Amino acid sequence: MSALDRRQRLALAVRRDARLMRAVHPIAFPLVQAVPGPVRRVPGLGVVVKDAALVRQVLLDGEGFSKQGKGASSDLWTPVLGARVLVNMHGEDHRSLRRRLAPIFSPAFVEPLVQETLGEGAAELERRLLAGERVDLAAHARQSASAAIALLVGLERSAVDDRLFRQIAGITGMVRLSRPTLTAAQVRSARAVLDALGEHAAAAFRGDESTVPGRLRGLGLSEDEALGAVGAFVLTGTETIAAAIPRIVALLADSGTLGEPSDDEAAERATAEGLRWTTPTPVMLRSTLARRSIGPVAVAPGDRIIIATYAADRAAGGFDPASDRAVGLKQLWFGAGAHFCIGAPLAMAEIRLALAALRRVEAAGRAIRVVERAPARHQLLPGYARLVLEARP
């Protein structure tokens, strides 16, 4: 591929990804994009922060900003998950629970677990593409997410189906930037789904340590803490993977760069660039605890801070999987400071597994192309309902 062709294909991939974001969020995405400058107070929404350095300043300032409080994550998730889960905790309580949870998200623990749980599915994906079949990667990613749900809850894989995944994605799909809380009806609907899973997780908690809930008991968590943690992992983690993998693959396939990496370092660089561009957590919320200045904007206790992570990540430059643009961001797409995503090693292991399978297909002399795509509507994270791949000689 010539340099000109490569630039044109990268630009095409970016345009298609932008169309996906507009299709999934026809109001919120253009609205945040249109907010001028690195930080701006927007009446009715809050203070929108779009600059990477300012985003990091907010995320690292635990004395000034919190996930607890008016307009923050706690307003959304405490009614659904309870008060003691990482996504709505702050300070020493948060640090203590995170320390106890850390062992189940260490790379040494999650990487063999992901291989055991999802390796067979990745091998099947590779085999079908090499056989000339068309494969819906979005469906494959949902199946992988369902396997992760089963693992987290302590269920047999066959007990978790696509319907349950859609129900879980439907919970996060209720979230709106313009509405800081869920309605009472939405809370009841979300709790009904999670309570059913919680019954299985409670039984697993009381069993041996071969399941994640049982392992949490072994780490010293109470049953309430373990069930809250499982609910948070299911709610925030599974849709993230199901949305991210197809989107990253679409960017790489559309740009003709999926098979480019020549070694592990280049593959990691391409994965980081895909994560930078897609940003698994495109928006983060904080409540202001103390008077601060975010750039030129003064904020006071109670102010809602809307961190446009995806805008901050993209400011580093255009999409190019061979570049080092992601390095300076230090995985900002997973957050920063005390609330850096504890599940990042699990997400990375799942993404690496899927991309490695597809790269082996390209290494066998096949070019993977997207032959059909459709956006997923009514969900929080921009993603594909269908992304059909074909590997052509």
Side-chain angles (χ1 to χ4, degrees):
M1 189 191 312
S2 71
L4 177 60
D5 288 342
R6 191 176 187 280
R7 286 196 299 272
Q8 290 174 336
R9 291 197 62 172
L10 286 170
L12 172 64
V14 168
R15 288 197 298 273
R16 285 174 170 165
D17 188 69
R19 284 201 294 270
L20 170 71
M21 291 196 71
R22 287 194 297 270
V24 177
H25 289 297
I27 298 175
F29 174 59
L31 174 64
V32 176
Q33 286 285 88
V35 173
V39 55
R40 180 66 63 99
R41 187 180 295 276
V42 179
L45 283 182
V47 177
V48 178
V49 186
K50 300 173 66 175
D51 174 79
L54 295 177
V55 165
R56 191 172 298 281
Q57 172 191 320
V58 171
L59 295 178
L60 293 178
D61 185 359
E63 300 298 320
F65 304 96
S66 174
K67 281 193 169 189
Q68 290 181 331
K70 181 181 176 182
S73 304
S74 61
D75 270 2
L76 288 169
W77 302 127
T78 298
V80 175
L81 295 168
R84 290 189 57 79
V85 292
L86 289 179
V87 294
N88 60 5
M89 295 175 71
H90 185 70
E92 183 54 37
D93 285 346
H94 172 267
R95 288 190 290 272
S96 174
L97 180 57
R98 186 182 176 98
R99 281 195 298 269
R100 285 184 288 157
L101 288 170
I104 67 166
F105 288 107
S106 68
F109 183 77
V110 302
E111 287 175 9
L113 200 63
V114 165
Q115 185 61 51
E116 178 185 345
T117 308
L118 305 179
E120 184 177 339
E124 177 70 4
L125 172 68
E126 181 182 346
R127 183 198 66 75
R128 290 181 61 193
L129 286 169
L130 286 172
E133 296 182 39
R134 291 187 170 186
V135 179
D136 182 358
L137 185 66
H140 169 81
R142 287 193 298 270
Q143 290 162 7
S144 296
S146 295
I149 293 171
L151 175 70
L152 291 169
V153 177
L155 283 169
E156 292 294 324
R157 170 65 186 87
S158 58
V160 183
D161 56 17
D162 203 46
R163 175 175 169 273
L164 179 58
F165 175 82
R166 289 196 300 271
Q167 288 178 320
I168 292 168
I171 296 172
T172 55
M174 299 172 186
V175 176
R176 298 289 183 273
L177 270 183
S178 58
R179 188 180 61 221
T181 62
L182 300 180
T183 67
Q186 288 172 332
V187 169
R188 288 194 297 271
S189 175
R191 289 190 64 89
V193 175
L194 293 176
D195 285 350
L197 289 175
E199 292 177 10
H200 297 288
F205 177 85
R206 293 187 287 269
D208 61 37
E209 293 187 22
S210 63
T211 66
V212 168
R215 172 76 168 149
L216 292 175
R217 187 195 70 242
L219 293 172
L221 273 72
S222 69
E223 183 169 325
D224 285 346
E225 287 175 329
L227 298 190
V230 166
F233 300 154
V234 167
L235 196 59
T236 62
T238 50
E239 185 189 345
T240 298
I241 293 300
I245 290 176
R247 227 175 127 197
I248 292 171
V249 170
L251 280 163
L252 296 173
D254 288 341
S255 60
T257 58
L258 181 57
E260 271 189 3
S262 56
D263 53 35
D264 290 346
E265 183 179 339
E268 285 294 292
R269 190 162 52 242
T271 300
E273 181 68 352
L275 285 164
R276 177 182 77 87
W277 197 256
T278 58
T279 305
T281 308
V283 172
M284 301 177 188
L285 300 175
R286 294 292 188 271
S287 182
T288 305
L289 298 178
R291 291 189 177 277
R292 291 287 192 270
S293 292
I294 306 175
V297 177
V299 295
D303 278 346
R304 186 191 195 204
I305 310 300
I306 299 173
I307 299 170
T309 326
Y310 78 90
D313 286 342
R314 291 184 176 199
F319 174 71
D320 185 351
S323 75
D324 289 319
R325 290 169 185 158
V327 172
L329 291 167
K330 300 178 182 178
Q331 296 185 292
L332 190 61
W333 47 88
F334 286 133
H339 286 279
F340 183 86
C341 178
I342 194 172
L346 177 60
M348 291 300 298
E350 294 186 40
I351 293 168
R352 288 185 186 113
L353 185 71
L355 289 180
L358 296 176
R359 288 186 178 120
R360 285 193 295 271
V361 173
E362 292 241 336
R366 305 297 184 90
I368 293 177
R369 296 289 182 268
V370 178
V371 295
E372 183 184 341
R373 73 186 80 207
R377 311 282 184 174
H378 311 300
Q379 66 179 44
L380 178 62
L381 302 182
Y384 287 100
R386 284 178 61 77
L387 189 79
V388 180
L389 305 180
E390 184 179 60
R392 300 170 183 170

